[in-house]
Amino acid sequence: MTTTTIRHHPSEATLLAYAAGTLPAALALVAATHLARCPVCRDMVAAAEAIGGTLLDSLSPAEMEVDVAAVDQVLERAGLPPAAPAPVLHPDLAPPLNRVRMGRWWPIGRGVRWRPLHVGGRAWAGLLLAQPGRSIPSHGHAGLELTCLLSGGFRDGGEEYAAGDVAEPVGEHDTPPVAIGAEPCLCVVGFEGMRFHGWLGLAQRLGRW
Ligand SMILES: [Zn+2]
């Protein structure tokens, strides 16, 4: 995969939220998957983090004393060693997904499978694998949804997406996204408040994921 093929990036708002550490873990994982492949967005996040660090430096000591979160951020920015990285669980996947705990694959429609990722927090994430020509199950959004393609491609809303691209749809899909090309479409999806329709929605409500 070459970075020059990336044409679709997360929105500026999403990248800023990532830099500020305010994205839910599931969505941050998808953003990080894209950032690992996209120097353009890495530069934007680095610039945003630099601005955030300057703002923290401008706080008075009194303000720092009462803002535990800010102190944590300062410690982080001071370059203190992070906790030991999680072990590599999935050598077949590229970072950061290779260290994420996952459930089993579930069939969620004809030619479509879903594998939940165990990331915690108030949003959900999973791998979605769709055979060529198959549609992603019908669903609506009550919050942010972020998808990063790992291989293959799909078409959504008249746009085509390839490996490394990010789709950040707003509202309902006019038509379900469909896998295109000759190889299966594998992507990582993070979402808050997405509700599947039909029997898939029933499985979701039963807490299977
Ligand atoms: Zn990008």
Side-chain angles (χ1 to χ4, degrees):
M1 179 191 313
T2 61
T3 54
T4 53
T5 61
I6 295 179
R7 293 188 299 126
H8 299 281
H9 306 266
S11 69
E12 193 169 290
T14 294
L15 289 174
L16 291 176
Y18 178 87
T22 57
L23 270 188
L27 294 160
L29 177 65
V30 180
T33 301
H34 174 76
L35 287 165
R37 297 157 172 75
C38 183
V40 175
C41 288
R42 280 204 301 273
D43 285 349
M44 182 176 286
V45 167
E49 287 177 340
I51 293 171
T54 303
L55 290 174
L56 286 174
D57 289 344
S58 69
L59 292 176
S60 71
E63 288 171 311
M64 295 300 292
E65 281 178 12
V66 297
D67 191 340
V68 175
V71 171
D72 285 344
Q73 286 188 323
V74 167
L75 291 174
E76 188 179 326
R77 291 178 200 288
L80 294 178
V88 171
L89 303 172
H90 311 283
D92 52 320
L93 292 172
L97 296 172
N98 59 345
R99 298 178 189 274
V100 179
R101 289 193 307 114
M102 304 180 186
R104 53 157 282 189
W105 283 104
W106 295 91
I108 60 169
R110 195 173 170 199
V112 183
R113 292 195 293 162
W114 172 262
R115 188 177 192 183
L117 305 184
H118 300 156
V119 291
R122 60 184 173 84
W124 297 267
L127 297 180
L128 189 71
L129 180 65
Q131 297 301 314
R134 296 301 173 192
S135 297
I136 311 304
S138 175
H139 63 274
H141 306 122
L144 187 60
E145 177 189 317
L146 215 53
T147 300
C148 183
L149 260 77
L150 304 175
S151 59
F154 73 77
R155 183 185 299 115
D156 183 25
E159 296 280 349
E160 294 191 353
Y161 296 81
D165 280 337
V166 161
E168 189 173 337
V170 177
E172 299 277 332
H173 296 277
D174 292 332
T175 56
V178 60
I180 57 174
E183 64 172 313
C185 171
L186 178 65
C187 47
V188 57
V189 187
F191 55 90
E192 48 182 5
M194 183 162 71
R195 289 289 176 265
F196 285 104
H197 303 151
W199 69 266
L200 192 53
L202 179 62
Q204 188 182 33
R205 288 192 293 278
L206 288 173
R208 179 162 284 175
W209 321 330

